[in-house]
Amino acid sequence: MGGGGGGGGSFDSANKLYVGNLSWGVDNSTLENLFSEQGKVLDAKVIYDRDSGRSRGFGFVTYGSADEVNNAISNLDGVDLDGRQIRVTVAESKPREQRRF
């Protein structure tokens, strides 16, 4: 049954931002608070290391529209958050590659 093919997520990755150079103290709610000034945040997530539990220094924010994404990039890229200049860009939706061993 069923062929190959990609699964469609509930979030449109076109409206997803990559946020880099985060300080260790930044968590999901810090991210959401900052980005909610630019539009309605659907999802804000800091990526944590599975083993250590520490922030990996980046995260993702999802908006409902491209306008909000563009606002956030132009207004927040390079902004000082918790002592670090954050990087804000459109998240790349890369196809998952097969790992070779």
Side-chain angles (χ1 to χ4, degrees):
M1 273 175 45
S10 57
F11 290 120
D12 183 352
S13 61
N15 297 326
K16 192 174 198 179
L17 289 170
Y18 164 86
V19 187
N21 200 33
L22 298 175
S23 76
W24 304 125
V26 172
D27 61 12
N28 294 355
S29 62
T30 310
L31 212 54
E32 184 172 353
N33 288 339
L34 176 66
F35 281 81
S36 63
E37 295 166 12
Q38 308 303 321
K40 182 169 171 37
V41 173
L42 303 181
D43 189 46
K45 184 180 288 166
V46 173
I47 306 303
Y48 291 95
D49 185 277
R50 253 198 315 250
D51 301 327
S52 71
R54 281 180 49 162
S55 164
R56 293 184 56 197
F58 68 94
F60 296 97
V61 174
T62 306
Y63 285 114
S65 77
D67 284 346
E68 292 165 316
V69 165
N70 294 330
N71 280 347
I73 291 172
S74 56
N75 293 324
L76 296 176
D77 186 35
V79 153
D80 186 300
L81 177 62
D82 215 16
R84 306 272 296 264
Q85 277 197 330
I86 60 172
R87 256 189 75 226
V88 182
T89 58
V90 172
E92 301 290 316
S93 52
K94 295 190 182 109
R96 282 186 115 72
E97 293 180 25
Q98 296 294 321
R99 293 211 169 160
R100 292 177 195 192
F101 295 102

